[in-house]
């Protein structure tokens, strides 16, 4: 596919590749040490022999997002785009949700995927919660959201909710 698609066969000044998975963790920027990448990641997730660890800085959260990508994918992409930069979906999601809260105060952002969703709770440009949850049906999906609203005492009348991604009506 990469070799046959005329759009993907062109030379580009820069190429960014965004990978979506549940496997990421945030590390405060002040505590981040590149030598500790594997420790940060494996504290929360299992790392298979066939995965590579990458990281992105979240400028709005003053944190580092540490994540893994299967080696097969990274090798394929780097062979096709040598100057490639890898990103995790949570990096853009969190920076955008935090940015919205700078002007709108209380914000909850939800990015839906086929079997899981990311959720972020922000207030006045600060990230208060980020997590992701698996779900099998609408009841699971709603349960996690309502639970977060209840635990954090979030007002459903004064908090903007941004719902995006792979969603059915």
């Amino acid at each position: 596919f990469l070799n046959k698609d005329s759009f993907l066969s062109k030379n580009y000044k820069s190429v960014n590749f965004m990978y979506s998975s549940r496997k990421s963790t945030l590390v405060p920027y002040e505590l981040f040490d590149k030598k500790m990448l594997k420790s940060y990641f494996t504290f929360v997730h299992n790392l298979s022999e066939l995965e590579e660890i990458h990281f992105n800085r979240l400028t709005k959260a003053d944190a580092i997002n540490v994540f893994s990508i299967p080696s097969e994918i990274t090798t394929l992409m780097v062979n096709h785009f040598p100057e490639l930069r890898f990103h995790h979906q949570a990096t853009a999601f969190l920076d955008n949700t935090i940015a919205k809260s700078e002007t709108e105060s209380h914000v909850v952002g939800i990015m839906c995927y086929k079997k899981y969703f990311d959720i972020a709770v922000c207030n006045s440009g600060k990230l208060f919660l980020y997590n992701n949850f698996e779900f099998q049906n609408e009841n699971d999906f709603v349960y996690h959201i309502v639970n977060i609203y209840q635990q954090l005492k979030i007002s459903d009348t004064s908090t903007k909710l941004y719902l995006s991604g792979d969603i059915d009506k």
Side-chain angles (χ1 to χ4, degrees):
F1 180 77
L2 285 171
N3 293 327
K4 293 178 183 177
D5 187 282
S6 63
F7 184 75
L8 296 175
S9 297
K10 297 180 183 196
N11 291 326
Y12 293 97
K13 183 177 177 180
S14 66
V15 177
N16 293 289
F17 180 85
M18 186 175 295
Y19 186 72
S20 297
S21 85
R22 291 192 64 210
K23 295 174 78 170
S24 74
T25 190
L26 298 180
V27 178
Y29 181 74
E30 290 181 6
L31 302 176
F32 181 73
D33 180 351
K34 194 174 176 179
K35 297 175 199 156
M36 300 290 295
L37 275 174
K38 187 173 181 179
S39 295
Y40 298 140
F41 186 82
T42 57
F43 185 75
V44 181
H45 301 285
N46 291 325
L47 180 67
S48 96
E49 291 179 17
L50 304 175
E51 290 179 308
E52 296 177 10
I53 298 176
H54 296 267
F55 66 94
N56 302 134
R57 179 155 188 202
L58 285 84
T59 54
K60 297 283 184 186
D62 204 23
I64 303 294
N65 186 16
V66 180
F67 59 98
S68 68
I69 301 177
S71 300
E72 182 178 42
I73 292 174
T74 59
T75 301
L76 177 70
M77 296 307 296
V78 167
N79 285 341
H80 196 78
F81 302 108
E83 300 300 317
L84 180 72
R85 285 178 288 181
F86 291 101
H87 301 273
H88 188 265
Q89 91 272 357
T91 303
F93 167 69
L94 290 170
D95 274 343
N96 287 328
T97 305
I98 294 165
K100 286 177 184 158
S101 79
E102 290 172 346
T103 58
E104 299 177 22
S105 227
H106 295 76
V107 170
V108 173
I110 298 173
M111 177 62 82
C112 298
Y113 299 89
K114 293 254 186 246
K115 298 183 182 201
Y116 69 95
F117 66 93
D118 290 338
I119 186 165
V121 177
C122 303
N123 186 4
S124 302
K126 301 270 187 222
L127 177 66
F128 283 92
L129 175 127
Y130 164 69
N131 208 339
N132 58 50
F133 298 96
E134 278 189 72
F135 66 94
Q136 295 186 14
N137 55 45
E138 293 85 2
N139 291 334
D140 291 348
F141 180 77
V142 171
Y143 168 81
H144 291 298
I145 297 167
V146 169
N147 188 41
I148 286 173
Y149 269 71
Q150 288 175 343
Q151 294 299 315
L152 297 180
K153 297 176 177 39
I154 297 171
S155 167
D156 58 351
T157 57
S158 64
T159 301
K160 295 248 182 164
L161 171 64
Y162 289 92
L163 190 60
S164 58
D166 189 6
I167 309 167
D168 292 333
K169 276 189 177 182

